[in-house]
Every structure is written in structure tokens, then in C-alpha cells.
Amino acid sequence: MTLDSAVFRFAGLVVLASLALAHWIHPAWLYLTAFAGLNMLQASFTGWCPAASLFRKLGVRPGASFD
């Protein structure tokens, strides 16, 4: 697995989990969805993603997007 696929999988997991939690637990979990979306938007402009930095430190091999 490359860094790119790890970041995309993690982002998808966060969005889907927060939507499920908002549906079954409390609507305030939608703030997590908004945070994930804002983080993806920020990463598209700056090229820096906190999740990519974490996965890089964990030893996930580099991909094309987050070098």
C-alpha cells in the first residue's frame, strides 16, 4: 500500500464512520465530516496532509501525491 492509498482510505473511513455515527448516535458527528472535508480541501492547495505525515512516520512507502 502506498501513502496515497493509505490517506484516501483513511479519509473515506473517517467520512463514512462520522456519517454513520451522526445517523445512529448524534448529529454533532457531522462536524467530523466537515473537518475531514476541510482538511482534504486544505491539502489540495498546500500539498501537506497531517494524515500523510503520520503514515510516513509509520513507514508507509511514498506514493505519487504525498512525497
Side-chain angles (χ1 to χ4, degrees):
M1 175 176 8
T2 66
L3 190 58
D4 301 336
S5 63
V7 168
F8 293 139
R9 287 176 191 182
F10 181 70
L13 180 68
V14 168
V15 169
L16 292 175
S18 65
L19 288 174
L21 289 167
H23 179 74
W24 283 301
I25 305 297
H26 193 275
W29 281 101
L30 291 174
Y31 289 115
L32 182 58
T33 306
F35 174 76
L38 287 171
N39 191 30
M40 287 186 271
L41 184 64
Q42 170 283 129
S44 73
F45 285 107
T46 65
W48 178 76
C49 175
S53 298
L54 176 68
F55 286 130
R56 188 178 298 114
K57 288 180 183 177
L58 292 173
V60 178
R61 64 185 167 95
S65 297
F66 302 106
D67 291 328

